[in-house]
Amino acid sequence: GAVVSQHPSRVICKSGTSVKIECRSLDFQATTMFWYRQFPKQSLMLMATSNEGSKATYEQGVEKDKFLINHASLTLSTLTVTSAHPEDSSFYICSTQAAPPTDGTQYFGPGTRLTVL
Amino acid sequence: AQSVTQLGSHVSVSEGALVLLRCNYSSSVPPYLFWYVQYPNQGLQLLLKYTSAATLVKGINGFEAEFKKSETSFHLTKPSAHMSDAAEYFCAVSDPLKAAGNKLTFGGGTRVLVKP
């Protein structure tokens, strides 16, 4: 399968600060990347779909001004959690998808554990 | 709208025993179907997928799944469990009629515990 990296793997920050998480597609050009959030012992919750060169599409209930997504190249998407608060603490996972036509397969990064103090 | 139901949030099996994880879907058209595995504090790894070819799909680590349209199911099996199979397993579907930005809809997950 495709190789996807995320950086950092773990981050601890103070309340009110912003945190940027990078997602890189290492072995193919990903026209579409997805950002998920996962709470302990729960399934993945899709936050947004990131398309290269255009604005991200956010799922209902996800604040786009709080979770800024940038997909500036075919191999890199970033998620910035702005003015983070303890309730933003979670496991954030990105995934990549090849250019269409696609069967929908997504390849996932290893995740980023965010802890907001 | 599509949905996925995984019966049983937890499954406990003995080492060497059959592993059976159930997945049922709801979709207006036969979807693409996926099984992913997640080890603690890691991302998801693709185990196998069904994309309208053979209904019996073989994946990595000795897992296989069979697509049964009449039962709207895609159950995952492994004949003999190994300790390393202890993980969380997710069933997911996507819409074959969509092209770019084809989202996955995930089930709630099933945690597998393997007893020695």
Side-chain angles (χ1 to χ4, degrees):
Chain A
V3 180
V4 181
S5 70
Q6 276 185 246
H7 178 79
S9 59
R10 186 181 296 268
V11 57
I12 301 173
C13 69
K14 293 182 178 180
S15 185
T17 61
S18 294
V19 174
K20 180 185 284 188
I21 303 170
E22 293 185 347
C23 176
R24 292 183 184 273
S25 179
L26 299 181
D27 55 0
F28 74 89
Q29 293 182 330
T31 54
T32 304
M33 291 185 176
F34 301 86
W35 286 96
Y36 294 85
R37 184 172 180 177
Q38 185 179 34
F39 292 103
K41 302 186 187 302
Q42 294 188 25
S43 188
L44 280 71
M45 181 191 80
L46 179 64
M47 299 174 66
T49 302
S50 169
N51 297 295
E52 187 267 337
S54 63
K55 290 184 178 180
T57 302
Y58 290 82
E59 294 299 301
Q60 191 172 9
V62 178
E63 299 177 59
K64 60 182 181 181
D65 293 332
K66 180 166 186 63
F67 299 99
L68 300 179
I69 292 172
N70 183 281
H71 192 161
S73 78
L74 287 171
T75 60
L76 174 64
S77 176
T78 60
L79 167 68
T80 301
V81 183
T82 62
S83 186
H85 291 285
E87 57 266 30
D88 299 324
S89 298
S90 191
F91 194 54
Y92 293 87
I93 309 175
C94 72
S95 69
T96 63
Q97 190 173 72
T102 170
D103 58 17
T105 300
Q106 293 182 23
Y107 300 96
F108 288 82
T112 297
R113 174 78 56 193
L114 170 63
T115 302
V116 184
L117 302 176
Chain B
Q2 298 176 309
S3 66
V4 181
T5 302
Q6 290 183 239
L7 291 176
S9 59
H10 291 79
V11 169
S12 181
V13 297
S14 298
E15 191 174 17
L18 171 72
V19 179
L20 170 60
L21 304 182
R22 300 179 186 275
C23 172
N24 289 88
Y25 68 88
S26 173
S27 176
S28 56
V29 297
Y32 294 146
L33 292 151
F34 306 82
W35 275 100
Y36 285 90
V37 60
Q38 184 180 33
Y39 297 100
N41 296 308
Q42 295 187 27
L44 276 66
Q45 181 181 10
L46 181 65
L47 276 176
L48 48 79
K49 62 182 176 181
Y50 166 77
T51 56
S52 73
T55 56
L56 182 61
V57 181
K58 294 187 183 298
I60 62 172
N61 302 340
F63 284 94
E64 64 179 38
E66 185 172 10
F67 171 67
K68 292 186 176 181
K69 183 179 178 181
S70 61
E71 298 178 8
T72 61
S73 69
F74 190 56
H75 301 332
L76 180 71
T77 61
K78 181 174 179 177
S80 177
H82 191 273
M83 296 299 291
S84 60
D85 294 326
E88 185 92 21
Y89 293 80
F90 293 97
C91 181
V93 299
S94 71
D95 186 342
L97 300 181
K98 291 191 175 180
N102 199 345
K103 299 177 187 179
L104 289 177
T105 300
F106 284 91
T110 298
R111 185 170 298 274
V112 172
L113 172 65
V114 181
K115 299 177 292 184

